[in-house]
């Protein structure tokens, strides 16, 4: 191309793919000024107008407004600075859209009332500090008096959701449901009961050295029996039940008798509360962890096996 060649709007339109009307619009606003005019008064443009229009089109497609674009092409503003500011603004918009999508998806799935929808909306809009305070209040309530103990401090950390800076819609949706659960007094009471049971086992374990909690022991011993298809009421289940009840007796420093086995039934039913499992499922989504394995079938098998052997 000859750098001195001048082009009419029609020729410029053919080179850039823009319409004559669009180029005239940009020209009227001083974004792409004509270099000269023909004897008949028609606008003529230099070759630099092609590159300028290509840049304008790109910036418009990225969502920049015309006043900002004019400052960029006139070098009044640095393109990297404008791009950074615009990217940040888009990040905020994306986050807001994800929050709205999460709330609307939950409302649609649950058939929520207006009151529930308002609560979900408020929970979704909490700041990071507000989210930390909400979960902190929940954990402080259920670990009251125990949170300073190293073992329980670790458990508290493992139960803490950390919503990332740029969460996916599914993470926001999981956070909203998890936050609702943490506000439920009934769920708080369930978790507090599990923590107290764990503390009772931990007291003796501290003297004996680190030990698995009873839920982990039952999982490890009853899980293979469930996989093998052993009937919990059959004689084949006897040594398995005896194994984890003996371990529980050892944890508590009590004899392995009917009373202890009934206590273990209550303990496993508490751990097997579906709300507990749901909490950890949601926690995994929010934190981006692998989905936890469901222990409901194992605990159901173990409770049934214990009940058969404690009926009098």
């Amino acid at each position: 191309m000859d750098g001195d060649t001048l082009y009419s709007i029609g020729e410029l339109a053919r080179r850039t793919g823009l319409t004559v009307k669009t180029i005239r619009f940009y020209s009227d606003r001083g974004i792409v000024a004509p270099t000269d005019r023909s004897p008949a008064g028609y606008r003529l443009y230099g070759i630099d107008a092609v590159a300028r229009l290509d840049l304008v089109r790109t910036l418009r497609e990225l969502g920049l407004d015309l006043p900002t674009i004019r400052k960029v092409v006139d070098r009044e503003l640095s393109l990297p600075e404008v791009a950074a500011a615009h990217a940040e603004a888009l990040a905020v918009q994306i986050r807001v859209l994800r929050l709205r999508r999460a709330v609307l998806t939950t409302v649609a799935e649950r058939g929520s009332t207006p009151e529930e929808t308002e609560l979900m909306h408020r929970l979704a809009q909490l700041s990071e500090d507000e989210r930390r305070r909400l979960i902190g209040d929940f954990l402080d309530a259920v670990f009251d008096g125990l949170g300073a103990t190293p073992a329980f401090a670790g458990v508290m950390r493992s139960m803490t959701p950390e919503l990332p800076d740029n969460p996916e819609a599914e993470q926001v949706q999981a956070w909203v449901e998890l936050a609702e659960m943490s506000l439920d007094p009934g769920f708080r009471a369930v978790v507090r009961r599990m923590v107290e049971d764990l503390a009772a086992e931990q007291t003796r374990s501290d003297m004996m050295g680190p030990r698995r909690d009873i839920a982990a022991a039952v999982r490890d011993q009853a899980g293979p029996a469930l996989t093998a298809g052993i009937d919990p009421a059959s004689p084949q289940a006897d040594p398995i039940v005896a194994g984890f009840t003996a371990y529980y007796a050892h944890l508590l420093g009590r004899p392995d008798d009917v009373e202890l086995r009934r206590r273990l039934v209550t303990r496993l039913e508490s751990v097997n509360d579906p709300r507990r499992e749901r909490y950890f499922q949601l926690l995994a989504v929010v934190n981006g962890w692998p989905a936890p394995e469901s222990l409901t079938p194992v605990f159901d098998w173990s409770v049934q096996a214990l009940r058969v052997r404690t009926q009098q």
Side-chain angles (χ1 to χ4, degrees):
M1 292 183 183
D2 187 345
D4 296 328
T5 301
L6 297 179
Y7 304 93
S8 68
I9 284 186
E11 292 171 326
L12 206 57
R14 286 192 292 274
R15 287 182 176 275
T16 62
L18 296 171
T19 65
V20 169
K21 181 179 180 180
T22 298
I23 296 174
R24 185 177 290 116
F25 175 79
Y26 290 153
S27 184
D28 289 343
R29 280 156 180 75
I31 295 174
V32 182
T35 301
D36 202 351
R37 286 186 179 269
S38 70
Y42 294 111
R43 306 177 213 196
L44 298 173
Y45 298 87
I47 190 59
D48 63 319
V50 176
R52 196 175 178 98
L53 285 169
D54 284 340
L55 176 59
V56 171
R57 178 168 54 189
T58 298
L59 295 179
R60 284 297 286 164
E61 289 174 351
L62 290 172
L64 269 68
D65 59 88
L66 287 177
T68 300
I69 290 175
R70 179 173 181 175
K71 291 179 180 179
V72 170
V73 295
D74 289 342
R75 301 187 183 279
E76 295 176 25
L77 286 177
S78 158
L79 181 55
E81 291 175 347
V82 172
H86 198 61
E88 179 62 27
L90 285 175
V92 172
Q93 292 177 30
I94 290 170
R95 182 175 182 275
V96 170
L97 289 174
R98 282 175 172 166
L99 293 175
R100 291 176 180 172
R101 178 178 180 271
V103 171
L104 291 172
T105 300
T106 305
V107 169
E109 291 177 351
R110 294 188 190 177
S112 303
T113 65
E115 293 76 16
E116 290 170 335
T117 302
E118 173 62 22
L119 173 62
M120 284 188 286
H121 181 59
R122 285 192 287 107
L123 290 174
Q125 290 186 311
L126 293 179
S127 68
E128 182 178 356
D129 286 343
E130 290 170 331
R131 291 197 302 269
R132 288 184 182 277
R133 283 197 296 271
L134 186 151
I135 295 300
D137 179 67
F138 162 67
L139 294 175
D140 287 345
V142 299
F143 285 92
D144 183 32
L146 297 168
T149 306
F152 284 97
V155 175
M156 287 180 67
R157 286 194 298 272
S158 72
M159 292 181 63
T160 302
E162 297 284 353
L163 194 65
D165 292 336
N166 295 298
E168 298 296 330
E170 293 75 14
Q171 289 176 298
V172 177
Q173 189 175 349
W175 154 256
V176 170
E177 185 178 343
L178 189 150
E180 286 182 296
M181 291 181 67
S182 73
L183 294 171
D184 180 5
F187 178 64
R188 289 190 176 201
V190 166
V191 179
R192 176 63 185 179
R193 173 65 184 275
M194 287 188 285
V195 169
E196 289 173 342
D197 287 339
L198 187 59
E201 298 163 13
Q202 187 68 36
T203 299
R204 181 170 168 81
S205 295
D206 286 342
M207 296 184 292
M208 300 183 297
R211 294 288 190 277
R212 291 175 303 164
D213 64 77
I214 186 58
V218 169
R219 175 199 63 204
D220 293 344
Q221 296 187 47
L226 177 65
T227 301
I230 296 176
D231 187 332
S234 70
Q236 287 179 286
D238 287 344
I240 299 162
V241 174
F244 62 69
T245 56
Y247 184 78
Y248 191 49
H250 185 57
L251 281 179
L252 298 183
R254 299 181 53 172
D256 181 2
D257 54 18
V258 171
E259 182 181 349
L260 179 128
R261 294 188 175 201
R262 287 174 177 166
R263 177 171 175 168
L264 181 53
V265 167
T266 302
R267 173 83 165 94
L268 294 179
E269 286 177 334
S270 175
V271 175
N272 202 27
D273 189 294
R275 290 172 293 183
R276 170 195 172 278
E277 182 165 295
R278 183 58 178 165
Y279 183 93
F280 284 103
Q281 289 172 341
L282 295 170
L283 183 67
V285 173
V286 172
N287 289 355
W289 296 342
E293 176 188 2
S294 174
L295 297 179
T296 297
V298 171
F299 292 141
D300 285 344
W301 187 96
S302 303
V303 168
Q304 186 178 349
L306 284 166
R307 287 194 181 281
V308 167
R309 290 161 178 81
T310 54
Q311 291 174 353
Q312 297 294 336

